[in-house]
Amino acid sequence: MRAITHDQQGEASHALRLSEQPTPSAPAAGQVHVRVLSRPVHPGDLAGVQGFPGVPRQRFATPRIPGLEGMGVVESVGEGVRELYAGQRVAFFPVPGAWSELVTAPADLVVPVPEGVSDETAALMLVNPITLLILLRAVEDAQHGRRGEHSEHGRRGQHGQAGPVVQTAAGSSVGKLVSAAALKHDIPLVNLVRSAAGAETLRQRFPGLPTISTADADWRAQVRDATGGRGAEVVLDAVGGSLTGELAGLLDDGGTLITYGQLGSGSTSLESVALIPRGLTVRGVSIGRWMTRTPDERAEDVAFAAGLAATAPELFEVAASYDLADFAQAVDHVRRPGKSGTVLLTSPAS
């Protein structure tokens, strides 16, 4: 079978290669084989290939196959698997090795694709919606803690309402899900994007939300105006790097910076953001910790994701699709400025 592999961490365009790998043996009890048809190229996938800032790059004795999410067709099932059957369309996460043509997956991490959901949407059905839920829970936790603190000191916001939330990378796939959720749940959200063109596109998509380009010289003042001059209660940040200090400056005292990505460059020292005197909180969240939730909680999250894919497929935008053999072009597309949607890697059904 074909697979994209790497035996050391490094720049993805140099470290990755297309290779032939042995076909897995028959699935064991509780497992299924899935013939993978489509899988997304997430920024986190590329980060795993490249390594993380400050951490030495690794070499691997056995080549690794990136990817944790995808969709395909069940090829065979192991003993004891009752809910899945050969020929069934399914999505899966988190299953290592998604960038190959065949994966062996625990049956409880494989989800039937709802009737009417396209293969492209199914390939994006799990990670981004689950990330959305993780972010919404983190925002709720931050706001709940802040309201409790304000109640003790008599500084609760007007009418006890939750304060403004600012998000970076608002034009990303996850950012658009956050925007849709903000409109549905009346979250006072302010969107940040990198360019004027991106801001205009997002304003047309979500006219009820303020959208600001960080390319504008006065973007910080625009955010202040959009948050009513009080600063943000929470900032959701997928960029990090040198932007972190700027974002901390947008927070109201006692606010929370929630970081969940490293799309930016550079760095910011914690001392420079005045955490202690301003009572700020910095919290990191990661979908990598989703498996610590109980099976029932995970099942609820998966049901939400599948329902969203069935009822709002327009939120699962695909930028382009590339065959596995064209992975270098796919990686370049992921990094393309102004990209809208998620890049997919595809492979034939047989």
Side-chain angles (χ1 to χ4, degrees), residues 99-138:
W99 293 12
S100 63
E101 292 184 314
L102 192 68
V103 297
T104 302
D108 61 349
L109 300 181
V110 177
V111 183
V113 175
E115 189 71 27
V117 172
S118 70
D119 287 358
E120 286 189 337
T121 298
L124 305 173
M125 190 175 81
L126 297 175
V127 166
N128 287 345
I130 292 172
T131 300
L132 168 67
L133 292 176
I134 290 170
L135 295 178
L136 292 179
R137 290 178 188 126

Side-chain angles (χ1 to χ4, degrees), residues 273-313:
V273 299
L275 293 179
I276 296 174
R278 297 187 56 210
L280 303 181
T281 298
V282 178
R283 177 181 176 186
V285 299
S286 168
I287 195 169
R289 294 187 55 79
W290 180 65
M291 289 297 290
T292 63
R293 290 175 62 78
T294 68
D296 286 346
E297 290 172 335
R298 295 202 307 271
E300 290 179 2
D301 290 351
V302 167
F304 166 82
L308 193 64
T311 59

Side-chain angles (χ1 to χ4, degrees), residues 308-331:
L308 193 64
T311 59
E314 69 278 4
L315 294 174
F316 298 77
E317 184 179 357
V318 173
S321 298
Y322 297 87
D323 183 80
L324 280 178
D326 300 320
F327 67 87
Q329 296 176 46
V331 170

Side-chain angles (χ1 to χ4, degrees), residues 146 149-150 155 224 230-233 235 244-257 270-281:
R146 183 175 166 85
E149 176 186 315
H150 287 187
R155 295 185 290 112
R224 285 286 178 184
R230 58 183 282 197
E233 191 168 74
V235 170
T244 301
E246 303 277 10
L247 298 174
L250 301 177
L251 285 166
D252 190 10
D253 287 355
T256 300
L257 174 65
L270 288 179
E271 291 82 359
S272 68
V273 299
L275 293 179
I276 296 174
R278 297 187 56 210
L280 303 181
T281 298

Side-chain angles (χ1 to χ4, degrees), residues 26-38:
Q31 294 182 336
V32 299
H33 276 176
V34 178
R35 174 70 58 179
V36 187
L37 304 181
S38 186

Side-chain angles (χ1 to χ4, degrees), residues 63-322:
R64 293 194 176 185
I65 302 173
L68 296 170
E69 179 183 29
M71 72 77 54
V73 176
V74 174
E75 191 156 281
S76 57
V77 302
E79 183 181 353
V81 176
R82 301 283 182 262
E83 305 296 325
L84 303 169
Y85 54 87
Q88 185 179 22
R89 285 198 314 148
V90 294
F92 57 83
F93 172 78
V95 179
W99 293 12
S100 63
E101 292 184 314
L102 192 68
V103 297
T104 302
D108 61 349
L109 300 181
V110 177
V111 183
V113 175
E115 189 71 27
V117 172
S118 70
D119 287 358
E120 286 189 337
T121 298
L124 305 173
M125 190 175 81
L126 297 175
V127 166
N128 287 345
I130 292 172
T131 300
L132 168 67
L133 292 176
I134 290 170
L135 295 178
L136 292 179
R137 290 178 188 126
V139 169
E140 185 178 3
D141 288 346
Q143 291 178 329
H144 179 76
R146 183 175 166 85
R147 286 196 295 271
E149 176 186 315
H150 287 187
S151 296
E152 291 179 13
H153 297 89
R155 295 185 290 112
R156 190 167 182 169
Q158 186 179 11
H159 307 306
Q161 296 176 344
V165 177
V166 173
Q167 74 158 337
T168 64
S172 67
S173 298
V174 171
K176 291 172 183 175
L177 288 176
V178 172
S179 291
L183 290 174
K184 181 177 181 179
H185 300 292
D186 296 321
I187 298 172
L189 182 70
V190 178
N191 284 326
L192 296 182
V193 294
R194 293 186 297 178
S195 68
E200 183 57 33
T201 298
L202 205 61
R203 290 188 196 108
Q204 294 176 10
R205 180 77 175 271
F206 301 103
L209 299 175
T211 301
I212 297 164
S213 168
T214 56
D216 295 344
D218 66 339
W219 70 271
R220 301 163 195 80
Q222 291 183 51
V223 173
R224 285 286 178 184
D225 290 342
T227 58
R230 58 183 282 197
E233 191 168 74
V234 179
V235 170
L236 287 173
D237 179 36
V239 177
S242 57
L243 188 63
T244 301
E246 303 277 10
L247 298 174
L250 301 177
L251 285 166
D252 190 10
D253 287 355
T256 300
L257 174 65
I258 297 171
T259 176
Y260 69 99
Q262 295 178 315
L263 298 177
S265 59
S267 61
T268 300
S269 64
L270 288 179
E271 291 82 359
S272 68
V273 299
L275 293 179
I276 296 174
R278 297 187 56 210
L280 303 181
T281 298
V282 178
R283 177 181 176 186
V285 299
S286 168
I287 195 169
R289 294 187 55 79
W290 180 65
M291 289 297 290
T292 63
R293 290 175 62 78
T294 68
D296 286 346
E297 290 172 335
R298 295 202 307 271
E300 290 179 2
D301 290 351
V302 167
F304 166 82
L308 193 64
T311 59
E314 69 278 4
L315 294 174
F316 298 77
E317 184 179 357
V318 173
S321 298
Y322 297 87

